[in-house]
Amino acid sequence: MKPLLKTLTETFAPSGYEDAIRKIVQKEVKPFADEIRVDAMGSLIVHKKPTTKSKNPRRIMLAAHMDEIGVIVSHVDKNGFVRFTNVGGVFGRYTLGARIRFLNGTTGVVGFDKLESVNDIPSMSKMYIDVGATSRKNCPVQIGDFGAFERSYMEMGNRLVAKSLDDRAGVVVLIEALKAIKSTPNDLYFVFTTQEEVGTRGAGTAAYGIDPEIGIAIDVTGTGDTPASLKMSMELGKGPCVKVRDPGMLSDPRVVEWMVNTAEKAKIPYQREVLLVGSTDARAIQITRAGVMAGALSIPCRYIHSASEMVDYEDLKNSAKLLTAMLSKPVSF
Ligand code: CO
Ligand code: ZN
């Protein structure tokens, strides 16, 4: 999984511009798919049909989002300095000193207007990107160009650090599960969604098209295991998290129980998750059409939405294992 995760996290695909990453995912999943299509919003839908008979085959949608947070050019001044706004949850405190790569290959560094006090964190409207231009004319980016954080993948023992582990960690787990499933009585749709970071847009339309009975998002979740962090119980290295609640969704209790029972039976470590900030594609799937039984399998992650997000390799492996075990057997509810 590590080489693929490196490739995925070093690819640039801010919301709405997922082409580069979709190509990589498509190549990986092709040998394991019965059907592949790309919908109008750009989500990659990989269909794996039932291989065995069961009394109660379920149509299940799995979703991991391909897009990452980024920036968009909003203004270029006469000296070639670029003003920008956020695409998704970009925080000022993580943006200072960042390097940005635009989709046309241009790179730049983030600077800021003079501060009232030396300890201030300027708002994004007081920041600019210096792309090495000297005038509006020779500026290599234009209004509406998209960029994302530039940062390489790195391993610190079992801890993996990269930009866009939200949600390339979920993407790699979903690919791994697809590859590992030998047989299944269920009708499975592995969906690599778009525009999650701007409001779970791709997952909602994909779910409308697929009309699943059960939906599960695979995404990262925040932890409470760093100094003076939010009081949350999730920790790195303690196993995949079974989402019970986040501010956008209450997981279906049947889905929670299904995950917990499967983990216990297969002796896979797991954690129960109550997340205090953020939500996932599962929210959009749950409230599609007449409603869907939904839940989420979350990967604990530190420093979410920074350019150095951190996950634990064992958690990735155990997440893929849990998902594989769940999807390989008949669903009991
Ligand atoms: Co995110
Ligand atoms: Zn995410």
Side-chain angles (χ1 to χ4, degrees), residues 258-272:
W258 177 32
M259 287 184 182
V260 165
N261 289 345
T262 308
E264 283 181 351
K265 227 184 241 164
K267 299 198 163 53
I268 299 166
Y270 72 95
Q271 316 178 58
R272 292 169 68 84

Side-chain angles (χ1 to χ4, degrees), residues 166 196-197 305:
D166 175 9
E196 190 272 351
E197 295 292 356
H305 287 197

Side-chain angles (χ1 to χ4, degrees), residues 245-266:
R245 178 267 187 194
D246 67 34
M249 187 185 74
L250 306 174
S251 296
D252 189 298
R254 292 164 290 190
V255 175
V256 171
E257 206 184 284
W258 177 32
M259 287 184 182
V260 165
N261 289 345
T262 308
E264 283 181 351
K265 227 184 241 164

